[in-house]
């Protein structure tokens, strides 16, 4: 192969795993992919068939919000909410809106979360799916507002609310407004919960900071994908604070499970089936035999 | 005498000069009263000028002042019959958060707050006011107890943030904070939160889902410290002064954004200059707030809290096509 074409393959690879929005439910078109964990190289098609999980070592690749819709929600049932709200620049941070625009183009989303209703194996749910390809999935006013509206919609429809988190935390550029989104989503979750409705939090890689310290951690069930990084403070900050080396598995899903913070870890391949079962077991009227 | 801060250096210098002059006048037996009066007038002007034109970074210095009154200082000044209650019932007693029962103008209340130390030894014991999960769980336990006995809850916020440590992560720092946010949303009693020093991120908010939120004039409330913001945004922690400006963290900023209900004015130069006067104005603020909230029903209190946080956020909504 000519050197030129080799280089162009690398270039394509650097673009990462963003879904091509022109082709519905498609994965990137790169021919080969190298697993960042076990370094094995395999056909990208093989990876796609495997729901973006390394066939060799089970490494779970990050997914875009739309990819997750395609593998989780029953085909043709998804209806997106609130794609008409846009980020303003309340603190007037230079070039903030330009960055938002670039990520919006890249992901096809108006902000770092996709919300909507749909069915999971026939069960009606409202979902919020965060996308770490959009400003690291960070939460500002629009993310907080979209999630809050989705929770309110779930309350109105009397259906379960399921969130897939993927976020570096609160968004710096919106300052204390971002912090307050933690409280805003929480008051909405409390209402949803008081109606006896189910909330499942599915933590995917990464779920940290203000998102970890709000809705992500208060599901009726807290679920995670294997090896996902989940934690409040950053590893580097902790190492500098406590001046000791942290274990390799620190803040992984497995670490959290061992410390009693998670109900279960579900492999991506079984996520849809298991969550559908969970929803089915929480159907209203579950105690009608009494 | 408390330590001075850089921005008030001119005041300190002038005050020293006046003292010097007084000393000379006394010893040399010359009448300098006219000069002294002139300088004292100048000092008053200078104080007004400097203290009423404080930059955000100046306020950060005041909020962090070693002698700034803490939760326990205000408890002693404002409440009666305070009895401290300890422990989360699961793991331990986190001294970075204090709480207990007391009476306020004859009404039983529950009071909770972050607690830092003033001297090094106490600061170590209290982990510099940076709580572990058991601190937040103790706070929640006391809030639930207050709810059972229909006592209003008053929270003092004063922390750099929840502690970023190994044990804190192992015991679920995220969950402890998150649970407080959700549970506070549903409390059937009045909740009032006052930021008295630093309001650092989620660790502060975990005592902040209240019906009324106030800030002492020179306190700060932010998603991240100015140093942290500077190092993330510009990869340079020394730009903290600029970050303090850009991040909009002062009481005036939060009032403008309609996040807090009101600013409690501070004694000129900061609350540490006169805690009695400061506590009195804080007490007046609490009286007013409680009078209003005591009149609300359980449902109204929860609804009020919902509406308060529901409206926070700035964005553009376009008409659907």
């Amino acid at each position: 192969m000519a050197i030129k074409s080799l280089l162009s393959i690398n270039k394509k690879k650097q673009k990462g795993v963003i879904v091509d929005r022109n082709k519905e439910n498609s994965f990137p078109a790169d021919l080969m992919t190298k697993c960042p964990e076990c370094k094995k190289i395999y056909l990208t098609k093989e990876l796609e068939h495997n729901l973006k999980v390394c066939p060799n070592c089970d490494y779970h690749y990050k997914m875009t919000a739309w990819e997750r819709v395609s593998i989780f929600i029953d085909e043709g049932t998804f209806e997106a909410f609130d794609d008409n709200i846009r980020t303003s620049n309340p603190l007037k941070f230079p070039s903030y809106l330009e960055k938002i625009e670039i990520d919006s183009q890249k992901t096809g989303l108006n902000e770092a979360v996709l919300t909507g209703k749909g069915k999971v194996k026939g069960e009606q749910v409202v979902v919020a799916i965060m996308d770490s390809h959009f400003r690291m999935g960070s939460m500002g006013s629009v993310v907080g507002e979209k999630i809050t509206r989705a929770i309110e919609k779930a309350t109105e429809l009397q259906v379960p609310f399921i969130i897939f988190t993927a976020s570096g935390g609160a968004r710096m550029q919106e300052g204390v407004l971002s912090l307050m989104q933690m409280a805003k989503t929480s008051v909405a979750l409390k209402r949803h919960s008081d109606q006896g409705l189910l909330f499942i939090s599915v933590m995917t890689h990464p779920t940290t900071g203000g998102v970890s310290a709000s809705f992500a951690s208060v599901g009726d069930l807290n679920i995670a994908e294997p090896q996902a990084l989940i934690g409040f403070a950053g590893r580097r900050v902790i190492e500098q604070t406590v001046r000791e080396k942290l274990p390799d598995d620190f803040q992984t899903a497995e670490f959290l499970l061992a410390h009693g913070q998670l109900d279960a870890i579900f492999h991506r391949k079984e996520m849809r089936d298991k969550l559908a079962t969970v929803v089915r077991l929480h159907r209203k009227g579950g105690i009608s035999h009494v | 005498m408390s330590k001075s801060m850089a921005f008030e250096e001119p005041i300190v210098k002038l005050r020293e000069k006046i003292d010097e002059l007084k000393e000379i006048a006394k010893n040399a037996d010359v009448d300098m009263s006219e000069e002294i009066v002139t300088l004292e007038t100048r000092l008053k002007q200078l104080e007004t000028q400097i203290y009423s034109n404080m930059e955000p970074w100046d306020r950060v210095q005041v909020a962090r002042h070693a002698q700034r009154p803490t939760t326990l200082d205000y408890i002693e000044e404002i409440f009666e019959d305070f009895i401290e209650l300890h422990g989360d019932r699961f793991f331990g007693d986190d001294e970075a958060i204090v709480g207990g029962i007391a009476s306020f103008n004859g009404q039983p209340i529950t009071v909770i707050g972050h607690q830092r130390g003033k001297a090094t030894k106490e600061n170590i014991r209290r982990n510099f006011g940076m709580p572990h999960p058991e601190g937040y769980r103790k706070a929640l336990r006391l809030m639930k107890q207050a709810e059972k006995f229909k006592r209003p809850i008053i929270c003092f916020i004063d922390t750099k943030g929840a502690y970023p440590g190994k044990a804190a992560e192992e015991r679920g720092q995220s969950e402890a904070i998150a649970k407080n946010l959700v549970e506070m949303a549903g409390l059937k009693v009045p909740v009032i939160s006052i930021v008295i020093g630093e309001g650092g991120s989620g660790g502060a908010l975990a005592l902040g889902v209240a019906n009324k939120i106030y800030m002492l004039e020179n306190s700060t409330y932010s998603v991240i410290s100015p140093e942290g913001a500077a190092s993330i945004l510009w990869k340079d922690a020394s730009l903290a002064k600029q970050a303090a400006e850009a991040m909009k963290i002062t009481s005036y900023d939060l009032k403008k954004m309609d996040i807090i209900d009101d600013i409690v004015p501070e004694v000129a130069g900061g609350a540490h200059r006169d805690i009695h006067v400061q506590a009195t104005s804080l007490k007046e603020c609490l009286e007013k707030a409680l009078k209003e909230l005591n009149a609300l029903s359980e449902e109204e209190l929860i609804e009020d809290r919902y509406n308060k946080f529901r409206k926070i956020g700035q964005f553009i909504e376009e008409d659907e096509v």
Side-chain angles (χ1 to χ4, degrees):
Chain A
M1 201 186 282
I3 288 175
K4 207 176 166 191
S5 60
L6 269 175
L7 283 175
S8 76
I9 284 177
N10 279 336
K11 222 180 255 170
K12 265 186 199 162
K13 233 180 257 171
Q14 279 169 4
K15 271 190 180 168
V17 287
I18 303 304
V19 69
D20 180 2
R21 294 272 296 122
N22 297 326
K23 281 194 272 170
E24 280 284 307
N25 304 341
S26 74
F27 290 109
D30 294 12
L31 200 60
M32 305 293 288
T33 303
K34 184 175 170 185
C35 175
E37 194 66 27
C38 70
K39 314 291 178 207
K40 196 174 147 83
I41 298 171
Y42 35 74
L43 284 170
T44 304
K45 261 221 162 84
E46 197 183 347
L47 183 65
E48 289 169 18
H49 279 300
N50 215 34
L51 308 178
K52 295 185 84 175
V53 176
C54 172
N56 185 49
C57 75
D58 258 354
Y59 174 80
H60 283 52
Y61 284 77
K62 285 181 186 173
M63 292 190 106
T64 68
W66 283 107
E67 284 169 351
R68 212 168 281 275
V69 167
S70 74
I71 66 162
F72 185 66
I73 302 288
D74 296 352
E75 210 181 329
T77 66
F78 185 75
E79 185 190 315
F81 299 152
D82 303 309
D83 45 18
N84 60 324
I85 46 182
R86 277 198 297 120
T87 294
S88 65
N89 190 356
L91 268 50
K92 312 259 179 301
F93 258 92
S95 73
Y96 176 42
L97 290 180
E98 286 81 348
K99 285 174 183 163
I100 294 289
E101 182 54 32
I102 290 167
D103 283 3
S104 189
Q105 295 284 333
K106 192 170 82 176
T107 58
L109 300 168
N110 61 335
E111 251 292 352
V113 67
L114 173 65
T115 57
K117 64 175 182 177
K119 289 184 175 173
V120 183
K121 298 186 85 180
E123 303 283 347
Q124 185 68 56
V125 296
V126 167
V127 288
I129 305 171
M130 303 185 85
D131 194 327
S132 63
H133 302 95
F134 195 118
R135 301 271 89 212
M136 270 304 289
S138 59
M139 174 163 67
S141 295
V142 173
V143 170
E145 182 69 19
K146 283 186 79 174
I147 291 173
T148 303
R149 287 190 191 185
I151 299 165
E152 288 174 332
K153 194 74 188 171
T155 311
E156 183 196 319
L157 297 173
Q158 295 281 301
V159 299
F161 175 63
I162 300 175
I163 190 162
F164 290 86
T165 61
S167 174
R171 187 170 298 165
M172 296 298 120
Q173 288 88 344
E174 292 186 37
V176 72
L177 288 167
S178 301
L179 178 70
M180 292 297 154
Q181 302 310 308
M182 295 165 66
K184 181 161 92 182
T185 49
S186 295
V187 298
L189 277 177
K190 178 66 179 163
R191 273 200 178 171
H192 183 260
S193 178
D194 283 349
Q195 303 257 324
L197 298 167
L198 172 68
F199 167 39
I200 306 173
S201 169
V202 184
M203 292 173 250
T204 74
H205 181 81
T207 296
T208 58
V211 165
S212 166
S214 56
F215 46 81
S217 296
V218 288
D220 294 298
L221 273 75
N222 289 342
I223 307 296
E225 283 196 333
Q227 295 152 34
L229 171 75
I230 303 161
F232 175 68
R235 187 188 185 96
R236 216 153 31 101
V237 175
I238 298 171
E239 274 178 340
Q240 280 165 6
T241 310
V242 299
R243 295 203 181 83
E244 62 174 300
K245 184 100 178 66
L246 297 163
D248 284 343
D249 72 339
F250 187 65
Q251 295 182 322
T252 59
E254 293 72 16
F255 176 90
L256 264 80
L257 187 75
H259 285 88
Q261 312 292 342
L262 293 177
D263 287 281
I265 296 172
F266 291 163
H267 194 283
R268 191 174 286 161
K269 278 193 212 168
E270 56 180 23
M271 188 66 77
R272 178 177 146 86
D273 282 351
K274 290 238 164 126
L275 291 190
T277 303
V278 170
V279 171
R280 187 163 47 78
L281 293 175
H282 286 80
R283 260 189 212 146
K284 281 212 153 179
I287 51 165
S288 58
H289 61 282
V290 184
Chain B
M1 192 62 212
S2 54
K3 231 175 73 192
S4 68
M5 294 157 279
F7 72 94
E8 54 179 11
E9 215 41 47
I11 297 172
V12 175
K13 284 222 175 96
L14 186 56
R15 197 178 286 131
E16 277 170 4
K17 202 152 274 171
I18 293 170
D19 289 345
E20 217 173 282
L21 217 52
K22 281 180 178 167
E23 196 66 23
I24 291 170
K26 203 168 71 184
N27 297 335
D29 204 22
V30 278
D31 184 21
M32 301 191 81
S33 54
E34 213 169 292
E35 287 83 352
I36 290 171
V37 169
T38 313
L39 283 180
E40 278 178 338
T41 315
R42 172 81 195 108
L43 178 67
K44 280 229 163 65
Q45 287 169 345
L46 195 62
E47 280 185 334
T48 316
Q49 190 201 330
I50 288 180
Y51 290 141
S52 57
N53 288 295
M54 284 166 66
E55 300 288 324
W57 184 244
D58 300 334
R59 296 192 196 279
V60 170
Q61 303 313 308
V62 178
R64 291 176 178 172
H65 197 282
Q67 297 306 314
R68 190 166 176 81
T70 65
T71 295
L72 284 174
D73 292 326
Y74 287 119
I75 288 177
E76 194 184 313
E77 290 279 335
I78 296 173
F79 306 109
E80 279 161 14
D81 310 320
F82 175 65
I83 295 172
E84 186 176 351
L85 304 174
H86 297 269
D88 70 341
R89 298 290 188 274
F90 297 115
F91 181 81
D93 184 41
D94 184 350
E95 294 189 81
I97 288 185
V98 295
I101 47 175
S103 64
F104 180 68
N105 292 340
Q107 182 179 18
I109 54 105
T110 283
V111 56
I112 300 164
H114 299 100
Q115 184 65 40
R116 56 187 176 77
K118 284 185 180 163
T120 309
K121 210 172 156 191
E122 193 195 358
N123 246 329
I124 289 167
R125 183 159 65 85
R126 300 197 181 277
N127 202 31
F128 297 82
M130 300 170 85
H132 280 74
E134 47 275 21
Y136 295 111
R137 290 178 183 137
K138 168 168 71 176
L140 183 58
R141 180 177 77 80
L142 295 180
M143 289 182 205
K144 290 298 208 183
Q145 186 191 64
E147 183 177 49
K148 175 177 174 185
F149 296 103
K150 303 200 189 312
R151 288 192 290 266
I153 299 163
I154 295 159
C155 294
F156 293 110
I157 294 173
D158 186 15
T159 184
K160 290 183 187 305
Y163 188 63
K166 181 166 175 267
E169 297 284 331
E170 287 170 342
R171 297 201 286 274
Q173 188 73 290
S174 288
E175 193 270 351
I177 294 170
K179 186 158 188 186
N180 279 21
L181 304 182
V182 173
E183 290 301 320
M184 284 185 86
L187 290 168
K188 294 174 188 152
V189 292
V191 184
I192 302 167
S193 294
I194 308 142
V195 188
I196 57 169
E198 282 184 275
S201 200
L205 187 63
L207 297 184
V209 185
N211 294 92
K212 297 273 182 203
I213 310 170
Y214 301 100
M215 283 175 78
L216 285 191
E217 187 179 4
N218 294 318
S219 59
T220 59
Y221 204 169
S222 62
V223 70
I224 188 170
S225 69
E227 290 83 355
S231 75
I232 290 180
L233 291 167
W234 306 309
K235 317 267 175 255
D236 185 355
S238 69
L239 295 173
K241 194 177 171 193
Q242 285 86 328
E245 187 100 23
M247 297 296 286
K248 306 273 184 256
I249 61 176
T250 69
S251 59
Y252 291 95
D253 293 324
L254 271 87
K255 180 75 179 104
K256 213 192 253 168
M257 287 189 269
D258 209 17
I259 293 173
I260 60 168
D261 289 271
D262 231 329
I263 300 167
V264 182
E266 277 191 37
V267 177
H272 59 284
R273 293 188 165 269
D274 195 333
I275 171 145
H276 305 292
V277 173
Q278 194 60 63
T280 306
S281 60
L282 205 50
K283 193 172 173 180
E284 282 164 14
C285 164
L286 283 174
E287 273 166 1
K288 210 173 127 230
L290 266 183
K291 200 176 161 200
E292 198 182 311
L293 296 175
N294 278 337
L296 299 183
S297 70
E298 294 180 351
E299 292 74 27
E300 284 169 336
L301 285 166
I302 293 169
E303 180 81 18
D304 174 66
R305 230 174 284 131
Y306 190 93
N307 294 334
K308 181 178 198 64
F309 287 93
R310 181 64 189 86
K311 67 174 167 48
I312 302 178
Q314 289 182 29
F315 50 85
I316 301 159
E317 184 150 21
E318 288 158 343
D319 293 332
E320 304 242 21
V321 194

